[in-house]
Protein backbone atom coordinates (compact mmCIF):
# COMPACT_ATOMS: atom_id res chain seq x y z
CA UNK A 1 0.00 0.00 0.00
CA UNK A 2 2.75 2.49 0.90
CA UNK A 3 4.73 1.61 -2.23
CA UNK A 4 1.62 2.00 -4.38
CA UNK A 5 0.86 5.36 -2.77
CA UNK A 6 4.38 6.59 -3.47
CA UNK A 7 4.14 5.60 -7.14
CA UNK A 8 0.68 7.08 -7.58
CA UNK A 9 1.36 10.39 -5.83
CA UNK A 10 4.67 10.86 -7.65
CA UNK A 11 2.77 10.89 -10.95
CA UNK A 12 -0.22 12.79 -9.53
CA UNK A 13 2.05 15.61 -8.29
CA UNK A 14 4.11 15.47 -11.48
CA UNK A 15 7.12 14.45 -9.40
CA UNK A 16 7.07 17.50 -7.18
CA UNK A 17 9.90 15.92 -5.19
CA UNK A 18 12.13 16.61 -8.22
CA UNK A 19 10.63 19.82 -9.60
CA UNK A 20 10.32 21.37 -6.16
CA UNK A 21 13.61 20.32 -4.60
CA UNK A 22 15.05 23.84 -4.46
CA UNK A 23 11.77 25.12 -3.03
CA UNK A 24 11.92 22.41 -0.35
CA UNK A 25 15.33 23.64 0.77
CA UNK A 26 14.26 27.31 0.73
CA UNK A 27 11.13 26.71 2.78
CA UNK A 28 12.89 24.47 5.28
CA UNK A 29 15.14 27.26 6.53
CA UNK A 30 12.54 30.02 6.29
CA UNK A 31 9.14 30.45 7.89
CA UNK A 32 7.15 32.10 10.63
CA UNK A 33 6.05 31.07 14.06
CA UNK A 34 3.45 32.43 16.42
CA UNK A 35 1.84 31.82 19.78
CA UNK A 36 -0.44 29.31 18.07
CA UNK A 37 2.05 27.61 15.78
CA UNK A 38 5.70 26.63 15.50
CA UNK A 39 8.08 27.50 12.66
CA UNK A 40 8.39 25.31 9.56
CA UNK A 41 11.82 24.20 10.76
CA UNK A 42 10.49 23.33 14.22
CA UNK A 43 7.67 21.34 12.62
CA UNK A 44 10.26 19.60 10.43
CA UNK A 45 12.37 18.82 13.50
CA UNK A 46 9.34 17.43 15.33
CA UNK A 47 8.44 15.17 12.42
CA UNK A 48 12.08 14.14 11.99
CA UNK A 49 12.16 13.26 15.68
CA UNK A 50 9.50 10.67 14.89
CA UNK A 51 11.05 9.46 11.65
CA UNK A 52 14.65 9.12 12.83
CA UNK A 53 14.57 6.18 15.21
CA UNK A 54 16.00 2.72 15.61
CA UNK A 55 14.94 1.88 12.06
CA UNK A 56 17.73 4.13 10.81
CA UNK A 57 20.36 1.92 12.44
CA UNK A 58 18.90 -1.48 13.28
CA UNK A 59 16.50 -1.41 10.32
CA UNK A 60 19.23 -0.70 7.78
CA UNK A 61 21.42 -3.46 9.20
CA UNK A 62 18.51 -5.91 9.01
CA UNK A 63 17.82 -4.97 5.37
CA UNK A 64 21.44 -5.70 4.46
CA UNK A 65 21.46 -8.97 6.42
CA UNK A 66 18.37 -10.40 4.71
CA UNK A 67 18.31 -8.56 1.38
CA UNK A 68 21.99 -8.01 0.72
CA UNK A 69 23.69 -4.67 -0.04
CA UNK A 70 21.26 -4.13 -2.94
CA UNK A 71 18.47 -3.49 -0.42
CA UNK A 72 19.99 -0.05 0.15
CA UNK A 73 19.22 0.97 -3.45
CA UNK A 74 15.57 0.03 -2.95
CA UNK A 75 15.50 2.00 0.29
CA UNK A 76 16.59 5.00 -1.79
CA UNK A 77 13.75 4.30 -4.21
CA UNK A 78 11.26 4.28 -1.34
CA UNK A 79 12.66 7.55 -0.02
CA UNK A 80 12.29 9.13 -3.46
CA UNK A 81 8.71 7.93 -3.95
CA UNK A 82 7.71 8.48 -0.33
CA UNK A 83 8.50 12.20 -0.54
CA UNK A 84 5.37 12.73 -2.65
CA UNK A 85 3.22 10.77 -0.19
CA UNK A 86 4.57 12.87 2.65
CA UNK A 87 3.67 16.02 0.72
CA UNK A 88 0.06 14.87 0.29
CA UNK A 89 -0.62 13.82 3.89
CA UNK A 90 1.17 16.84 5.39
CA UNK A 91 -0.61 19.33 3.12
CA UNK A 92 -3.95 17.76 4.01
CA UNK A 93 -3.06 18.19 7.69
CA UNK A 94 -2.41 21.90 7.11
CA UNK A 95 -5.59 22.45 5.09
CA UNK A 96 -7.85 20.95 7.75
CA UNK A 97 -6.03 22.02 10.94
CA UNK A 98 -7.83 23.72 13.83
CA UNK A 99 -7.05 25.66 17.00
CA UNK A 100 -7.57 23.88 20.29
CA UNK A 101 -8.84 25.35 23.56
CA UNK A 102 -5.33 26.58 24.42
CA UNK A 103 -5.00 28.39 21.09
CA UNK A 104 -2.52 25.89 19.56
CA UNK A 105 -2.72 24.41 16.10
CA UNK A 106 -3.83 20.79 15.93
CA UNK A 107 -4.24 18.56 12.92
CA UNK A 108 -3.50 15.18 11.40
CA UNK A 109 -5.31 12.25 9.79
CA UNK A 110 -8.26 12.28 12.21
CA UNK A 111 -8.98 15.89 11.31
CA UNK A 112 -8.75 15.53 7.55
CA UNK A 113 -10.65 12.24 7.59
CA UNK A 114 -13.60 13.95 9.31
CA UNK A 115 -13.53 17.20 7.33
CA UNK A 116 -12.64 15.88 3.86
CA UNK A 117 -14.32 12.46 3.98
CA UNK A 118 -17.19 13.35 6.28
CA UNK A 119 -16.75 10.08 8.18
CA UNK A 120 -16.55 10.98 11.85
CA UNK A 121 -16.57 7.33 12.93
CA UNK A 122 -13.52 6.66 10.75
CA UNK A 123 -11.77 9.72 12.18
CA UNK A 124 -12.52 8.60 15.73
CA UNK A 125 -11.25 5.13 14.90
CA UNK A 126 -7.95 6.57 13.65
CA UNK A 127 -7.65 8.82 16.71
CA UNK A 128 -8.22 5.89 19.07
CA UNK A 129 -5.77 3.72 17.12
CA UNK A 130 -3.11 6.43 17.30
CA UNK A 131 -3.57 7.04 21.02
CA UNK A 132 -3.18 3.31 21.68
CA UNK A 133 -0.34 2.88 19.17
CA UNK A 134 1.74 6.01 19.81
CA UNK A 135 0.93 6.30 23.48
CA UNK A 136 1.18 2.68 24.63
CA UNK A 137 2.38 0.19 21.98
CA UNK A 138 5.20 1.86 20.04
CA UNK A 139 7.27 3.64 22.76
CA UNK A 140 8.43 0.34 24.24
CA UNK A 141 10.32 -0.60 21.07
CA UNK A 142 12.40 2.58 21.21
CA UNK A 143 12.98 2.30 24.97
CA UNK A 144 14.05 -1.32 24.58
CA UNK A 145 16.59 -0.34 21.93
CA UNK A 146 18.02 2.37 24.19
CA UNK A 147 18.38 -0.06 27.09
CA UNK A 148 19.81 -2.92 25.01
CA UNK A 149 22.41 -0.80 23.23
CA UNK A 150 23.46 0.82 26.52
CA UNK A 151 23.72 -2.58 28.19
CA UNK A 152 25.86 -3.84 25.30
CA UNK A 153 28.15 -0.81 25.58
CA UNK A 154 28.32 -1.29 29.34
CA UNK A 155 29.31 -4.96 29.09
CA UNK A 156 32.94 -5.51 29.88
CA UNK A 157 33.42 -2.05 31.38
CA UNK A 158 33.41 -0.81 34.93
CA UNK A 159 30.26 1.26 34.42
CA UNK A 160 27.91 -1.50 35.59
CA UNK A 161 29.75 -2.66 38.68
CA UNK A 162 26.91 -1.50 40.88
CA UNK A 163 24.58 -3.93 39.12
CA UNK A 164 26.68 -7.07 39.46
CA UNK A 165 24.90 -10.11 40.82
CA UNK A 166 21.28 -9.73 41.88
CA UNK A 167 19.67 -6.32 42.39
CA UNK A 168 15.97 -5.69 42.92
CA UNK A 169 15.52 -9.45 42.60
CA UNK A 170 16.59 -9.57 38.94
CA UNK A 171 19.80 -10.26 36.96
CA UNK A 172 22.34 -7.45 36.73
CA UNK A 173 21.64 -6.69 33.06
CA UNK A 174 17.88 -6.44 33.64
CA UNK A 175 18.40 -4.26 36.71
CA UNK A 176 20.65 -1.94 34.72
CA UNK A 177 18.03 -1.71 31.97
CA UNK A 178 15.27 -0.99 34.49
CA UNK A 179 17.21 1.85 36.12
CA UNK A 180 18.05 3.23 32.68
CA UNK A 181 14.39 3.01 31.68
CA UNK A 182 13.38 4.99 34.77
CA UNK A 183 15.98 7.62 33.91
CA UNK A 184 14.71 7.91 30.32
CA UNK A 185 11.12 8.13 31.60
CA UNK A 186 12.03 11.00 33.93
CA UNK A 187 13.73 12.88 31.09
CA UNK A 188 10.67 12.33 28.92
CA UNK A 189 8.40 13.66 31.69
CA UNK A 190 10.37 16.91 31.85
CA UNK A 191 9.82 17.43 28.11
CA UNK A 192 6.20 16.37 27.66
CA UNK A 193 4.88 18.13 30.76
CA UNK A 194 6.14 21.34 29.17
CA UNK A 195 3.72 21.05 26.24
CA UNK A 196 4.13 21.31 22.48
CA UNK A 197 6.33 24.40 22.59
CA UNK A 198 8.91 22.63 24.76
CA UNK A 199 8.77 19.59 22.48
CA UNK A 200 9.36 21.83 19.45
CA UNK A 201 12.21 23.76 21.12
CA UNK A 202 13.90 20.53 22.21
CA UNK A 203 13.50 18.93 18.79
CA UNK A 204 14.91 21.84 16.80
CA UNK A 205 18.13 21.69 18.84
CA UNK A 206 18.59 17.96 19.39
CA UNK A 207 17.46 16.51 16.03
CA UNK A 208 19.97 18.41 13.83
CA UNK A 209 22.69 17.74 16.39
CA UNK A 210 22.07 13.99 16.63
CA UNK A 211 21.62 13.48 12.89
CA UNK A 212 24.61 15.69 12.03
CA UNK A 213 26.88 13.87 14.47
CA UNK A 214 25.93 10.48 13.08
CA UNK A 215 26.42 11.61 9.48
CA UNK A 216 29.80 13.12 10.39
CA UNK A 217 30.90 9.81 11.89
CA UNK A 218 29.84 8.00 8.71
CA UNK A 219 31.84 10.45 6.58
CA UNK A 220 34.84 9.97 8.86
CA UNK A 221 34.66 6.20 8.50
CA UNK A 222 34.33 6.51 4.72
CA UNK A 223 37.34 8.83 4.50
CA UNK A 224 39.41 6.39 6.52
CA UNK A 225 38.25 3.62 4.17
CA UNK A 226 38.34 5.71 0.99
CA UNK A 227 39.76 2.89 -1.11
CA UNK A 228 36.65 0.81 -0.38
CA UNK A 229 34.11 3.46 -1.43
CA UNK A 230 34.04 2.88 -5.23
CA UNK A 231 33.66 -0.86 -4.69
CA UNK A 232 30.90 -0.21 -2.14
CA UNK A 233 28.79 1.72 -4.68
CA UNK A 234 29.36 -0.97 -7.29
CA UNK A 235 28.32 -3.60 -4.75
CA UNK A 236 25.05 -1.78 -3.99
CA UNK A 237 24.03 -1.36 -7.63
CA UNK A 238 25.16 -4.82 -8.76
CA UNK A 239 23.27 -6.43 -5.90
CA UNK A 240 20.18 -4.30 -6.47
CA UNK A 241 19.71 -5.66 -9.99
CA UNK A 242 20.83 -9.24 -9.42
CA UNK A 243 24.12 -9.03 -11.32
CA UNK A 244 26.43 -9.63 -8.35
CA UNK A 245 27.94 -13.10 -8.32
CA UNK A 246 27.32 -13.78 -4.64
CA UNK A 247 24.10 -11.82 -4.07
CA UNK A 248 22.35 -12.31 -7.42
CA UNK A 249 19.96 -14.87 -5.92
CA UNK A 250 18.72 -12.20 -3.49
CA UNK A 251 17.19 -9.89 -6.12
CA UNK A 252 13.63 -10.44 -4.89
CA UNK A 253 14.67 -10.18 -1.26
CA UNK A 254 16.69 -7.02 -1.97
CA UNK A 255 13.54 -5.34 -3.28
CA UNK A 256 11.37 -6.73 -0.47
CA UNK A 257 13.66 -5.75 2.38
CA UNK A 258 14.63 -2.42 0.84
CA UNK A 259 10.98 -1.42 0.45
CA UNK A 260 9.99 -2.80 3.86
CA UNK A 261 12.78 -1.12 5.81
CA UNK A 262 12.56 2.04 3.71
CA UNK A 263 8.91 2.46 4.67
CA UNK A 264 9.64 1.66 8.32
CA UNK A 265 12.40 4.27 8.46
CA UNK A 266 10.82 7.19 6.59
CA UNK A 267 7.20 6.54 7.71
CA UNK A 268 5.71 8.14 4.58
CA UNK A 269 2.02 7.29 4.47
CA UNK A 270 1.81 5.99 8.03
CA UNK A 271 0.09 9.12 9.34
CA UNK A 272 2.82 10.14 11.78
CA UNK A 273 4.32 13.18 10.03
CA UNK A 274 1.02 15.08 9.49
CA UNK A 275 0.60 15.71 13.23
CA UNK A 276 3.74 17.84 13.40
CA UNK A 277 3.09 19.35 9.97
CA UNK A 278 -0.23 20.79 11.14
CA UNK A 279 1.49 22.69 13.96
CA UNK A 280 3.49 24.92 11.60
CA UNK A 281 2.67 28.60 11.03
CA UNK A 282 2.55 29.05 7.25
CA UNK A 283 0.63 31.21 4.77
CA UNK A 284 -0.17 28.29 2.47
CA UNK A 285 -0.61 24.56 3.27
CA UNK A 286 1.66 23.47 0.41
CA UNK A 287 4.61 25.18 2.10
CA UNK A 288 4.64 22.64 4.90
CA UNK A 289 3.97 19.88 2.37
CA UNK A 290 7.23 20.80 0.64
CA UNK A 291 9.10 20.88 3.95
CA UNK A 292 7.81 17.46 4.98
CA UNK A 293 8.69 16.01 1.57
CA UNK A 294 12.26 17.13 2.25
CA UNK A 295 12.08 15.30 5.60
CA UNK A 296 11.84 11.99 3.73
CA UNK A 297 14.91 12.82 1.66
CA UNK A 298 16.87 13.73 4.77
CA UNK A 299 15.80 10.63 6.67
CA UNK A 300 16.48 8.10 3.93
CA UNK A 301 19.14 9.70 1.77
CA UNK A 302 21.22 11.07 4.62
CA UNK A 303 20.69 9.17 7.89
CA UNK A 304 19.84 5.68 6.57
CA UNK A 305 22.52 6.01 3.90
CA UNK A 306 25.06 6.97 6.57
CA UNK A 307 24.36 3.74 8.44
CA UNK A 308 24.64 1.73 5.22
CA UNK A 309 27.94 3.35 4.29
CA UNK A 310 29.33 2.78 7.78
CA UNK A 311 28.57 -0.91 7.51
CA UNK A 312 29.40 -1.59 3.86
CA UNK A 313 32.61 0.45 3.65
CA UNK A 314 34.10 -1.53 6.54
CA UNK A 315 32.67 -4.93 5.59
CA UNK A 316 31.19 -5.38 9.07
CA UNK A 317 28.01 -7.23 8.16
CA UNK A 318 26.56 -10.65 7.42
CA UNK A 319 24.24 -11.62 4.57
CA UNK A 320 22.12 -14.68 5.24
CA UNK A 321 21.26 -17.30 2.67
CA UNK A 322 17.53 -17.39 1.78
CA UNK A 323 17.48 -21.17 2.20
CA UNK A 324 18.92 -21.01 5.72
CA UNK A 325 22.27 -22.46 4.69
CA UNK A 326 25.74 -21.00 5.13
CA UNK A 327 25.82 -17.16 5.06
CA UNK A 328 26.51 -15.63 1.64
CA UNK A 329 28.85 -13.21 3.39
CA UNK A 330 30.15 -13.39 6.96
CA UNK A 331 32.01 -10.22 7.86
CA UNK A 332 30.85 -10.51 11.48
CA UNK A 333 30.42 -14.20 12.14
CA UNK A 334 28.29 -14.81 15.21
CA UNK A 335 26.99 -11.22 15.46
CA UNK A 336 23.22 -10.82 15.16
CA UNK A 337 21.87 -8.28 12.68
CA UNK A 338 21.10 -4.91 14.25
CA UNK A 339 23.09 -2.14 15.98
CA UNK A 340 26.04 -4.54 16.35
CA UNK A 341 26.89 -4.06 12.66
CA UNK A 342 27.23 -0.28 13.08
CA UNK A 343 29.06 -0.66 16.39
CA UNK A 344 31.62 -2.97 14.76
CA UNK A 345 32.03 -0.53 11.85
CA UNK A 346 32.99 2.35 14.14
CA UNK A 347 35.19 0.05 16.26
CA UNK A 348 37.13 -0.95 13.14
CA UNK A 349 38.46 2.58 12.66
CA UNK A 350 38.12 4.03 16.18
CA UNK A 351 38.79 1.16 18.61
CA UNK A 352 37.03 1.54 21.93
CA UNK A 353 34.49 4.03 20.59
CA UNK A 354 32.13 1.92 18.47
CA UNK A 355 29.76 0.47 21.04
CA UNK A 356 29.53 3.68 23.03
CA UNK A 357 29.07 5.99 20.05
CA UNK A 358 26.29 3.93 18.49
CA UNK A 359 24.62 3.54 21.89
CA UNK A 360 24.59 7.33 22.32
CA UNK A 361 23.28 7.81 18.77
CA UNK A 362 20.56 5.23 19.39
CA UNK A 363 19.62 6.99 22.61
CA UNK A 364 19.03 10.31 20.86
CA UNK A 365 17.30 8.70 17.89
CA UNK A 366 14.98 6.63 20.06
CA UNK A 367 14.33 9.26 22.75
CA UNK A 368 13.22 11.90 20.28
CA UNK A 369 11.00 9.33 18.59
CA UNK A 370 9.26 8.59 21.90
CA UNK A 371 8.81 12.33 22.36
CA UNK A 372 7.21 12.57 18.91
CA UNK A 373 4.95 9.60 19.69
CA UNK A 374 3.62 11.47 22.71
CA UNK A 375 2.83 14.53 20.62
CA UNK A 376 0.90 12.38 18.11
CA UNK A 377 -1.08 10.72 20.89
CA UNK A 378 -1.85 14.05 22.57
CA UNK A 379 -3.06 15.56 19.29
CA UNK A 380 -5.50 12.70 18.76
CA UNK A 381 -6.63 12.91 22.37
CA UNK A 382 -7.36 16.58 21.73
CA UNK A 383 -9.43 15.53 18.72
CA UNK A 384 -11.51 13.10 20.78
CA UNK A 385 -11.93 15.81 23.44
CA UNK A 386 -13.31 18.12 20.70
CA UNK A 387 -10.27 20.35 21.23
CA UNK A 388 -11.42 21.18 24.76
CA UNK A 389 -9.01 21.39 27.68
CA UNK A 390 -9.43 18.22 29.75
CA UNK A 391 -6.28 17.94 31.90
CA UNK A 392 -7.17 14.61 33.52
CA UNK A 393 -7.16 12.74 30.20
CA UNK A 394 -3.84 14.35 29.25
CA UNK A 395 -2.36 13.35 32.61
CA UNK A 396 -3.46 9.74 32.11
CA UNK A 397 -1.81 9.73 28.66
CA UNK A 398 1.42 11.18 30.03
CA UNK A 399 1.60 8.70 32.86
CA UNK A 400 0.76 5.88 30.46
CA UNK A 401 3.57 6.61 28.00
CA UNK A 402 6.04 7.09 30.88
CA UNK A 403 5.01 3.71 32.27
CA UNK A 404 5.37 2.02 28.87
CA UNK A 405 8.89 3.43 28.50
CA UNK A 406 9.90 1.80 31.78
CA UNK A 407 8.12 -1.46 30.83
CA UNK A 408 9.69 -1.58 27.37
CA UNK A 409 13.19 -0.79 28.61
CA UNK A 410 13.68 -3.93 30.67
CA UNK A 411 11.14 -6.29 29.09
CA UNK A 412 11.81 -8.88 26.41
CA UNK A 413 12.66 -7.30 23.06
CA UNK A 414 10.36 -9.63 21.12
CA UNK A 415 7.38 -8.48 23.21
CA UNK A 416 8.25 -4.83 22.63
CA UNK A 417 8.61 -5.34 18.87
CA UNK A 418 5.35 -7.30 18.64
CA UNK A 419 3.46 -4.47 20.34
CA UNK A 420 5.21 -1.89 18.15
CA UNK A 421 4.35 -3.75 14.94
CA UNK A 422 0.68 -3.80 15.93
CA UNK A 423 0.80 -0.06 16.61
CA UNK A 424 2.41 0.82 13.28
CA UNK A 425 -0.03 -1.39 11.39
CA UNK A 426 -3.08 0.15 13.05
CA UNK A 427 -2.10 3.65 11.95
CA UNK A 428 -0.72 2.85 8.50
CA UNK A 429 -3.71 0.90 7.19
CA UNK A 430 -6.22 3.52 8.28
CA UNK A 431 -4.22 6.48 6.98
CA UNK A 432 -3.06 5.14 3.63
CA UNK A 433 -6.63 4.29 2.63
CA UNK A 434 -7.77 7.75 3.72
CA UNK A 435 -5.21 9.73 1.71
CA UNK A 436 -6.02 7.76 -1.43
CA UNK A 437 -9.64 8.85 -1.01
CA UNK A 438 -9.11 12.51 0.04
CA UNK A 439 -6.05 13.31 -2.08
CA UNK A 440 -7.73 15.96 -4.26
CA UNK A 441 -7.41 19.01 -1.94
CA UNK A 442 -3.65 18.41 -1.55
CA UNK A 443 -3.22 18.28 -5.34
CA UNK A 444 -5.33 21.42 -5.78
CA UNK A 445 -3.20 23.20 -3.16
CA UNK A 446 -0.04 22.25 -5.05
CA UNK A 447 -1.34 23.71 -8.31
CA UNK A 448 -2.51 26.86 -6.51
CA UNK A 449 0.88 27.30 -4.84
CA UNK A 450 2.76 26.87 -8.11
CA UNK A 451 0.40 29.29 -9.88
CA UNK A 452 1.00 32.02 -7.30
CA UNK A 453 4.76 31.44 -7.37
CA UNK A 454 4.79 31.93 -11.15
CA UNK A 455 3.09 35.29 -10.61
CA UNK A 456 5.93 36.30 -8.28
CA UNK A 457 3.76 36.17 -5.14
CA UNK A 458 4.35 34.76 -1.70
CA UNK A 459 1.48 32.26 -1.87
CA UNK A 460 -1.48 32.77 0.43
CA UNK A 461 -4.20 30.16 0.72
CA UNK A 462 -7.86 30.92 0.04
CA UNK A 463 -9.87 27.68 0.12
CA UNK A 464 -12.99 29.24 -1.42
CA UNK A 465 -11.03 30.47 -4.43
CA UNK A 466 -9.88 26.95 -5.28
CA UNK A 467 -13.09 25.15 -4.33
CA UNK A 468 -11.96 23.40 -1.15
CA UNK A 469 -14.68 23.00 1.45
CA UNK A 470 -14.56 22.63 5.24
CA UNK A 471 -11.16 24.34 5.56
CA UNK A 472 -12.64 26.46 8.35
CA UNK A 473 -9.36 27.63 9.86
CA UNK A 474 -8.26 29.27 6.61
CA UNK A 475 -11.63 30.97 6.10
CA UNK A 476 -11.43 32.61 9.52
CA UNK A 477 -7.83 33.55 8.80
CA UNK A 478 -8.85 35.24 5.55
CA UNK A 479 -11.74 36.96 7.29
Amino acid sequence: MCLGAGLYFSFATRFMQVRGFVEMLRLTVRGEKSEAGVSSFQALAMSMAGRIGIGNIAGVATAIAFGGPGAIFWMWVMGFLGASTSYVESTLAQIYKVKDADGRYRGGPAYYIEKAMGLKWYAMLFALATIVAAGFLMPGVQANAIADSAANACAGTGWCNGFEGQWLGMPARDAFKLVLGIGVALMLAVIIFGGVKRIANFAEVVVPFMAGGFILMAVTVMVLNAEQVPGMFALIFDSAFGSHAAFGALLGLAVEWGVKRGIYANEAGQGTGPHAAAAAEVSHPAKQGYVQAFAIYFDTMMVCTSTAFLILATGTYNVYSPDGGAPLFAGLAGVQEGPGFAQAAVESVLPGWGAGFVAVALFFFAFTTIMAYYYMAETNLSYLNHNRHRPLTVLVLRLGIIGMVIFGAFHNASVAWALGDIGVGLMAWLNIIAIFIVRKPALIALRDYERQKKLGLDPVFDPDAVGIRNADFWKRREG
Side-chain angles (χ1 to χ4, degrees):
M1 292 287 285
C2 290
L3 176 60
L7 284 167
Y8 175 80
F9 290 130
S10 291
F11 284 100
T13 61
R14 294 170 291 122
F15 289 89
M16 60 78 59
Q17 66 266 52
V18 178
R19 297 185 299 106
F21 185 73
V22 174
E23 188 71 355
M24 290 181 202
L25 295 177
R26 187 183 73 82
L27 291 171
T28 296
V29 298
R30 296 183 61 182
E32 308 171 2
K33 62 180 176 179
S34 65
E35 288 300 313
V38 301
S39 70
S40 289
F41 183 76
Q42 286 179 319
L44 171 69
M46 287 166 65
S47 70
M48 289 304 297
R51 298 184 200 280
I52 300 178
I54 61 172
N56 295 80
I57 296 179
V60 172
T62 304
I64 292 172
F66 292 102
I72 302 307
F73 173 82
W74 297 106
M75 289 187 72
W76 293 338
V77 171
M78 279 311 306
F80 173 74
L81 296 176
S84 64
T85 305
S86 183
Y87 163 81
V88 170
E89 61 182 358
S90 298
T91 301
L92 287 171
Q94 268 287 331
I95 291 173
Y96 297 107
K97 70 182 179 182
V98 301
K99 274 189 178 181
D100 67 12
D102 295 322
R104 299 170 299 186
Y105 295 152
R106 295 285 191 183
Y111 293 84
Y112 58 68
I113 288 170
E114 178 183 346
K115 290 175 175 290
M117 292 177 67
L119 297 179
K120 190 171 180 63
W121 67 266
Y122 194 169
M124 293 179 67
L125 180 61
F126 180 88
L128 283 170
T130 303
I131 292 169
V132 172
F136 300 97
L137 299 181
M138 292 154 62
V141 179
Q142 307 292 331
N144 190 271
I146 291 174
D148 268 342
S149 62
N152 290 339
C154 187
T157 72
W159 303 348
C160 305
N161 288 341
F163 300 94
E164 290 178 355
Q166 297 287 324
W167 191 76
L168 292 180
M170 60 181 71
R173 181 183 175 90
D174 289 344
F176 173 76
K177 291 169 64 177
L178 174 59
V179 172
L180 189 66
I182 293 172
V184 172
L186 290 174
M187 291 180 61
L188 179 67
V190 171
I191 301 297
I192 65 177
F193 274 89
V196 64
K197 289 287 186 179
R198 186 174 295 177
I199 293 173
N201 291 334
F202 183 84
E204 76 171 334
V205 173
V206 173
V207 171
F209 164 76
M210 72 177 189
F214 190 73
I215 292 168
L216 180 62
M217 176 58 75
V219 171
T220 300
V221 171
M222 287 181 65
V223 169
L224 294 175
N225 290 272
E227 71 281 359
Q228 304 295 330
V229 173
M232 177 190 66
F233 278 103
L235 178 64
I236 290 173
F237 286 100
D238 287 347
S239 302
F241 296 100
S243 59
H244 190 274
F247 305 131
L250 296 178
L251 175 58
L253 290 172
V255 177
E256 176 188 344
W257 281 93
V259 169
K260 192 155 52 175
R261 286 295 172 247
I263 291 169
Y264 185 88
N266 66 48
E267 298 187 0
Q270 291 182 17
T272 53
H275 297 94
E281 179 70 63
V282 291
S283 64
H284 196 288
K287 287 186 174 182
Q288 193 59 24
Y290 274 98
V291 172
Q292 295 299 326
F294 175 73
I296 305 298
Y297 276 152
F298 186 83
D299 176 271
T300 304
M301 306 303 183
M302 298 294 289
V303 184
C304 287
T305 299
S306 295
T307 301
F309 286 179
L310 268 176
I311 293 169
L312 296 177
T314 55
T316 53
Y317 62 96
N318 303 319
V319 177
Y320 304 130
S321 172
D323 60 8
L328 301 178
F329 181 84
L332 281 176
V335 176
Q336 187 177 8
E337 72 281 354
F341 287 12
Q343 289 175 321
V346 180
E347 285 283 349
S348 69
V349 294
L350 296 172
W353 287 84
F357 175 82
V358 174
V360 170
L362 260 175
F363 167 78
F364 282 113
F365 284 17
F367 181 78
T368 53
T369 297
I370 297 170
M371 183 180 70
Y373 286 162
Y374 168 76
Y375 176 72
M376 296 172 206
E378 186 191 272
T379 295
N380 284 276
L381 183 62
S382 178
Y383 171 82
L384 291 179
N385 286 335
H386 304 289
N387 299 308
R388 298 190 185 98
H389 184 63
R390 292 178 175 169
L392 181 59
T393 59
V394 175
L395 177 61
V396 170
L397 174 63
R398 289 171 175 171
L399 294 177
I401 194 170
I402 289 169
M404 289 306 296
V405 165
I406 297 172
F407 174 83
F410 79 94
H411 218 72
N412 185 283
S414 61
V415 173
W417 275 99
L419 293 174
D421 285 345
I422 293 170
V424 169
L426 286 172
M427 293 179 64
W429 273 103
L430 294 170
N431 181 66
I432 203 73
I433 292 171
I435 61 174
F436 268 125
I437 296 171
V438 301
R439 64 194 181 278
K440 189 175 179 181
L443 302 179
I444 291 173
L446 178 61
R447 291 195 294 269
D448 180 58
Y449 183 85
E450 292 176 336
R451 178 187 61 80
Q452 293 189 51
K453 286 292 294 183
K454 286 180 180 178
L455 294 175
L457 304 173
D458 181 14
V460 175
F461 187 59
D462 179 359
D464 289 332
V466 293
I468 295 177
R469 297 181 301 171
N470 298 327
D472 300 327
F473 166 81
W474 296 95
K475 291 181 180 180
R476 285 196 295 270
R477 180 189 177 108
E478 289 299 313

